[in-house]
């Protein structure tokens, strides 16, 4: 076959101008895709930097309300609260987790009382309240599953009572979604949604987060007996399937960028609302490289978020949320 004197296809034609590129773009990143994780601490009028996450703050409840108001005004649909709990409140049985007046629940109520129109997401896991730093109750060195689920159910109900819209079980115990869903149904909270951390891997990318919530010092050992081995794709898919069957409304893959293959597969296979968590270590890597002038921070941030959308995410939990929103809002 003689070679034609011109390329049979010229993919560059539709890349030639911004107008043509806009016309053929397959994925969009919008402010509606953002969930902003924020850290709550005790006190009044406090905004304290997190050393391992430049640009991220721990805020007292009054400042959390301000942050929620700012997020709402930027059009961000949801924030996700993580408490930095005083070491003195951490116990073996993690009772502070279901205290209706714990830091996280006080923050939820304060945002609700302020009448701010934003969805409030929570984290359900015992690590902020656990003297052992684990997501579950530890007995004789073992993370006990069913007793932890009972505690998580109490925690979930307290968060729903406080006014949370989206509960985020991140603990990876077996049976927690079904147990929480049943308790919500029978407890008068039929409308409260669950975003399950379904495909949550045992990752070293969570390091800076554990500093942010003050759990790294406390953690004894690792989380490999409950979080998924990073090598295991099929195990993760079975967890997602199980959580959807048990009543999760939305599912999450975590971490984000190194696990985009899982996002695509979860979306294609189950078609459920699918989210990814661009975790603390991912944030820290981008920020550190940008601070050194090695990468263009904002561009890498936007490209990484577009990649989540291309992979099939309906939304992304990202510490970049307000910064991205400001750029997208122009
Ligand atoms: C708690 C929880 C963790 C994260 C979210 N919820 C830490 C962990 O599982 O050790 C990590 C978030 C991040 O790294 O940004 N179970």
């Amino acid at each position: 076959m003689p070679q034609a004197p011109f390329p049979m296809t010229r993919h560059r034609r539709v890349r030639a101008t911004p107008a043509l590129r806009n016309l053929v773009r397959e994925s969009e990143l919008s402010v509606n895709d953002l969930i902003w994780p924020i850290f709550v601490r005790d006190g009044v009028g406090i905004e304290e930097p997190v050393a391992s996450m430049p640009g991220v703050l721990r805020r007292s409840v009054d400042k959390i309300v301000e942050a929620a108001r700012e997020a709402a005004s930027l059009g961000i649909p949801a924030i996700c609260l993580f408490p930095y709990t005083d070491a003195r409140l951490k116990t073996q049985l993690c009772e502070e987790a279901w205290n209706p007046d714990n830091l996280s629940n006080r923050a939820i109520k304060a945002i609700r009382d302020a009448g701010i129109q934003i969805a409030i997401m929570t984290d359900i896991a015992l690590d902020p309240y656990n003297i052992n730093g684990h997501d579950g109750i530890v007995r004789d060195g073992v993370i006990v599953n069913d007793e932890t689920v009972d505690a998580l159910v109490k925690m979930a109900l307290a968060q729903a009572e406080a006014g949370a819209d989206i509960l985020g079980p991140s603990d990876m115990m077996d049976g927690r979604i079904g147990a929480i869903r049943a308790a919500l149904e029978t407890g008068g909270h039929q409308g409260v949604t669950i975003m399950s951390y379904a495909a949550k891997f045992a990752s070293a990318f969570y390091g800076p987060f554990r500093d942010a919530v003050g759990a790294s010092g406390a953690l004894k050992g690792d989380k490999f007996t409950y979080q998924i081995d990073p090598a295991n794709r099929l195990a993760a898919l079975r967890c997602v399937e199980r959580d959807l069957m048990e009543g999760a409304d939305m599912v999450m893959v975590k971490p984000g960028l190194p696990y985009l293959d899982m996002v695509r597969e979860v979306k294609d296979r189950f078609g459920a609302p699918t989210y990814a968590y661009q975790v603390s270590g991912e944030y820290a890597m981008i920020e550190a490289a940008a601070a050194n002038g090695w990468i263009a921070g904002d561009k890498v941030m936007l490209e990484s978020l577009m990649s989540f959308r291309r992979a099939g995410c309906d939304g992304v939990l990202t510490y970049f949320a307000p910064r991205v929103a400001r750029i997208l809002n122009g």
Side-chain angles (χ1 to χ4, degrees):
M1 277 279 277
Q3 182 77 39
F6 46 82
M8 292 301 286
T9 46
R10 288 192 188 271
H11 291 291
R12 293 187 54 198
R13 269 183 219 119
V14 292
R15 297 176 193 151
T17 67
L20 286 165
R21 291 196 294 273
N22 286 343
L23 207 55
V24 300
R25 183 162 302 125
E26 298 172 37
S27 307
E28 291 284 353
L29 177 65
S30 131
V31 176
N32 286 326
D33 307 322
L34 304 172
I35 301 173
W36 184 24
I38 48 181
F39 298 108
V40 197
R41 54 152 293 153
D42 238 323
V44 179
I46 301 174
E47 289 181 319
E48 154 189 270
V50 176
S52 52
M53 300 175 72
V56 171
L57 304 168
R58 293 190 199 104
R59 297 169 161 89
S60 52
V61 171
D62 56 315
K63 293 288 180 183
I64 286 285
V65 173
E66 277 178 28
R69 191 173 285 118
E70 186 198 353
S73 74
L74 288 166
I76 295 171
I79 55 170
C80 184
L81 296 171
F82 292 97
Y84 174 78
T85 304
D86 193 312
R88 283 167 304 185
L89 294 171
K90 299 184 192 217
T91 59
Q92 166 91 24
L93 292 177
C94 315
E95 290 94 339
E96 181 66 7
W98 54 92
N99 175 357
D101 292 317
N102 71 19
L103 200 47
S104 167
N105 292 333
R106 273 188 281 136
I108 297 171
K109 284 181 216 157
I111 297 166
R112 281 288 161 258
D113 289 348
I116 299 164
Q117 297 294 312
I118 195 159
I120 305 174
M121 178 170 167
T122 62
D123 191 73
I124 300 182
L126 300 179
D127 51 334
Y129 313 101
N130 196 339
I131 203 157
N132 297 290
H134 276 290
D135 293 15
I137 294 169
V138 183
R139 287 205 183 277
D140 302 324
V142 174
I143 289 101
V144 290
N145 193 88
D146 300 6
E147 190 181 344
T148 297
V149 170
D150 293 341
L152 298 172
V153 165
K154 286 189 262 183
M155 189 177 178
L157 284 173
Q159 294 174 348
E161 292 294 337
D165 303 282
I166 308 171
L167 306 185
S170 72
D171 55 283
M172 294 302 282
M173 296 300 120
D174 288 313
R176 90 269 206 224
I177 300 297
I180 291 169
R181 175 53 77 208
L184 292 172
E185 285 288 336
T186 55
H189 298 291
Q190 294 86 350
V192 173
T193 65
I194 299 176
M195 182 188 294
S196 164
Y197 287 64
K200 177 168 177 179
F201 293 87
S203 173
F205 284 95
Y206 308 148
F209 172 95
R210 291 178 192 164
D211 289 342
V213 296
S216 25
L219 183 62
K220 296 185 180 68
D222 57 48
K223 300 192 176 184
F224 276 91
T225 71
Y226 44 107
Q227 299 178 349
I228 305 167
D229 185 330
N232 291 353
R233 161 185 159 256
L234 297 173
L237 292 173
R238 291 201 301 275
C239 286
V240 172
E241 180 172 38
R242 188 260 323 258
D243 286 3
L244 286 168
M245 298 285 290
E246 289 188 10
D249 305 285
M250 302 169 260
V251 289
M252 190 203 295
V253 172
K254 178 181 175 205
L257 283 193
Y259 295 83
L260 284 186
D261 58 322
M262 295 307 315
V263 169
R264 167 52 61 203
E265 214 163 356
V266 166
K267 187 67 191 175
D268 285 353
R269 209 177 267 231
F270 304 107
T274 303
Y275 301 81
Y277 198 142
Q278 182 175 49
V279 299
S280 55
E282 300 176 60
Y283 174 87
M285 288 197 307
I286 293 176
E287 284 301 283
N292 276 291
W294 298 334
I295 59 172
D298 279 357
K299 286 189 177 139
V300 170
M301 167 183 82
L302 288 167
E303 182 181 329
S304 67
L305 291 165
M306 183 62 87
S307 298
F308 286 106
R309 295 284 289 147
R310 189 195 64 243
C313 276
D314 295 285
V316 187
L317 286 94
T318 176
Y319 301 99
F320 290 121
R323 202 151 112 201
V324 185
R326 261 179 229 109
I327 293 175
L328 294 177
N329 290 338

